[in-house]
């Protein structure tokens, strides 16, 4: 099992905070967000092979983590030269992934670290998508499941009344390399980017079994300065709905 972290974006919603540091390197509780992710995966899943997709201010991330030896992991990097969306970013690591299953994490998502282990427990089919209940579906992906909690549909920023589901895409996944078949054929979304969620949606609609996993522990999308300030002021994860 390997771990792939997407950390190429500019983080424009962080405004002045990302002028001198890439968003995943912003500190929460005295450590960069990326360090929390790497240490959590290392400690709770025993994963030691990591690949970080960099882009904006890539050299800062690469210099901080280096070979990974200081963190007791093996670190690899690849730069998304054209930052054109999360759908194409994983392809930078395609050769490195090879035939291995992998966890895929957005570089600005913080979770209760025990949930990393829970992902591996339910990863017995084609993939896993983590979800939250009670979040604002207009802010992200609305996930629709069948009675066995396998993904049926994934709708990004659903308009009110168009999707009937309580489940919000929490941004942490597990996949087999079959994902790359679907990222290869992506078309740009209305906002002009290739979306990872479109690839996941196509996988589900083709009948691949993407298991849902509710994250019941703490979770935060460190999406803007307000969320960051709240986290650092509390020294703990916010409760459900506090990040939206």
């Amino acid at each position: 099992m390997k771990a792939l972290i997407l950390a190429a974006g500019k983080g424009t919603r962080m405004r002045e905070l990302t002028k001198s540091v890439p968003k995943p390197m912003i500190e929460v509780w005295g450590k960069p967000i990326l360090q929390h992710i790497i240490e959590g995966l290392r400690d709770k899943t025993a994963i030691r092979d990591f690949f970080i997709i960099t882009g904006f201010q890539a050299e800062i991330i690469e210099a901080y983590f280096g070979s990974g030896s200081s963190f007791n992991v093996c670190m690899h990097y690849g730069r998304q030269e054209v930052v054109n969306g999360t759908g194409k970013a994983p392809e930078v690591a395609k050769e490195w992934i090879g035939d291995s299953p992998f966890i895929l994490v957005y570089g600005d998502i913080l979770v209760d670290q025990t949930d990393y282990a829970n992902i591996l427990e339910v990863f017995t089919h084609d993939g896993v998508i983590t979800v939250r209940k009670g979040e604002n579906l207009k802010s992200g992906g609305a996930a629709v499941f069948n009675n066995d909690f396998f993904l049926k549909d994934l709708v990004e920023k659903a308009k009110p009344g168009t999707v009937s589901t309580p489940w919000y895409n929490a941004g942490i996944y597990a996949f087999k390399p079959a994902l790359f078949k679907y990222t290869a054929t992506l078309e740009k979304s209305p906002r002009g980017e290739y979306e990872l969620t479109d690839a996941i949606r196509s996988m589900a609609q083709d009948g691949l079994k993407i298991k849902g996993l509710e994250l019941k522990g703490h979770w935060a999308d460190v999406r803007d300065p307000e969320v960051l300030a709240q986290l650092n002021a509390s020294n703990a994860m916010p409760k459900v709905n506090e990040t939206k």
Side-chain angles (χ1 to χ4, degrees), residues 104-109 129-131 168-173 215 219:
L104 190 154
V105 185
Y106 291 127
D108 55 1
I109 300 291
I129 179 172
T130 60
V131 290
Y168 179 91
N169 179 14
I172 304 175
Y173 314 91
L215 299 183
W219 174 90

Side-chain angles (χ1 to χ4, degrees), residues 10-213:
K10 290 185 176 181
T12 54
R13 283 185 290 188
M14 282 292 183
R15 302 189 284 276
E16 298 294 320
L17 292 173
T18 50
K19 277 195 171 182
S20 59
V21 65
K23 182 180 177 184
M25 293 300 291
I26 289 175
E27 289 194 358
V28 175
W29 313 315
K31 291 182 183 180
I33 299 168
L34 270 179
Q35 187 173 342
H36 285 288
I37 295 170
I38 291 164
E39 291 177 343
L41 286 165
R42 178 198 65 194
D43 295 343
K44 299 301 181 180
T45 70
I47 290 174
R48 292 293 184 272
D49 291 324
F50 287 80
F51 194 110
I52 303 179
I53 308 290
T54 61
F56 178 66
Q57 295 182 325
E59 63 282 353
I60 293 178
I61 295 173
E62 294 163 0
Y64 187 88
F65 292 103
S67 68
S69 60
S70 297
F71 300 90
N72 197 27
V73 300
C74 184
M75 195 68 69
H76 303 266
Y77 306 92
R79 296 191 181 185
Q80 188 179 11
E81 299 295 344
V82 179
V83 183
N84 54 4
T86 56
K88 290 299 182 182
E91 294 186 342
V92 175
K94 182 179 178 180
E95 289 188 11
W96 177 80
I97 291 292
D99 296 328
S100 176
F102 60 100
I103 284 181
L104 190 154
V105 185
Y106 291 127
D108 55 1
I109 300 291
L110 288 172
V111 298
D112 185 324
Q113 293 182 351
T114 58
D115 278 321
Y116 292 131
N118 294 336
I119 292 170
L120 296 191
E121 286 186 9
V122 302
F123 185 24
T124 57
H125 294 85
D126 298 304
V128 177
I129 179 172
T130 60
V131 290
R132 295 280 291 179
K133 183 181 284 187
E135 305 292 337
N136 183 355
L137 299 181
K138 293 185 293 183
S139 299
V144 182
F145 296 95
N146 65 18
N147 292 336
D148 295 318
F149 215 46
F150 286 105
L151 188 69
K152 289 176 59 180
D153 201 1
L154 185 58
V155 182
E156 196 68 24
K157 295 180 175 59
K159 295 180 180 179
T162 60
V163 179
S164 178
T165 181
W167 300 111
Y168 179 91
N169 179 14
I172 304 175
Y173 314 91
F175 295 113
K176 294 180 179 178
L179 170 71
F180 296 112
K181 171 185 174 182
Y182 293 88
T183 58
T185 58
L186 282 172
E187 296 182 359
K188 288 185 177 180
S189 69
R191 65 174 184 168
E193 294 188 356
Y194 297 101
E195 311 284 356
L196 178 61
T197 48
D198 286 344
I200 299 169
R201 183 186 197 195
S202 294
M203 292 173 73
Q205 292 181 340
D206 273 0
L208 275 69
K209 290 189 173 182
I210 311 295
K211 186 71 173 180
L213 174 67

Side-chain angles (χ1 to χ4, degrees), residues 13-15 17 23 221-229 243:
R13 283 185 290 188
M14 282 292 183
R15 302 189 284 276
L17 292 173
K23 182 180 177 184
D221 176 359
V222 192
R223 59 191 301 159
D224 54 44
E226 291 73 28
V227 173
L228 178 65
T243 62

